[in-house]
């Protein structure tokens, strides 16, 4: 898709992450469950984006890590703004 539209993969992930944060796109459509679990585990240990990437290596992309973070941000936002 990125090549067809003349966009970089990181730009595509940026657009997808916007929809994930807004709750309009399920994380599962972007990041497989097994990768989500690995990323979540690393993030739960207080790891930074780079540290997560260094630990998981080629198994995950920065875009996938950012997608999981976007999903966390969406969940946090919903919790704060739900009566």
């Amino acid at each position: 898709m990125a090549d067809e539209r003349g966009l970089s993969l990181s730009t595509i992930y940026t657009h997808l992450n916007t929809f994930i944060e807004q709750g309009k796109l399920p994380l599962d459509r972007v990041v497989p469950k097994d990768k989500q679990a690995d990323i979540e585990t690393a993030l739960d240990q207080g790891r930074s984006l780079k540290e997560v990437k260094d630990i998981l290596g080629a198994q995950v992309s920065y875009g996938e890590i950012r997608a999981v973070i976007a999903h966390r941000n969406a969940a946090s936002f919903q919790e704060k703004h739900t009566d």
Side-chain angles (χ1 to χ4, degrees):
M1 180 187 335
D3 288 337
E4 291 174 16
R5 297 179 187 251
L7 302 171
S8 70
L9 189 55
S10 64
T11 300
I12 298 295
Y13 270 110
T14 298
H15 292 287
L16 294 173
N17 292 343
T18 299
F19 292 116
I20 291 170
E21 282 184 333
Q22 294 171 352
K24 295 178 180 178
L25 178 65
L27 180 61
D28 297 347
R29 300 274 317 265
V30 179
V31 182
K33 286 262 190 205
D34 59 325
K35 288 186 180 184
Q36 289 178 39
D38 293 340
I39 295 167
E40 289 281 1
T41 298
L43 290 171
D44 287 343
Q45 296 171 355
R47 308 264 185 202
S48 69
L49 178 77
K50 183 177 180 337
E51 290 171 330
V52 172
K53 178 64 174 144
D54 289 345
I55 290 167
L56 299 176
Q59 170 184 333
V60 301
S61 70
Y62 276 106
E64 290 169 322
I65 299 167
R66 287 186 181 104
V68 172
I69 293 170
H71 183 259
R72 285 179 159 212
N73 290 343
S76 176
F77 179 82
Q78 288 173 355
E79 286 176 10
K80 290 178 183 176
H81 295 89
T82 303
D83 292 325

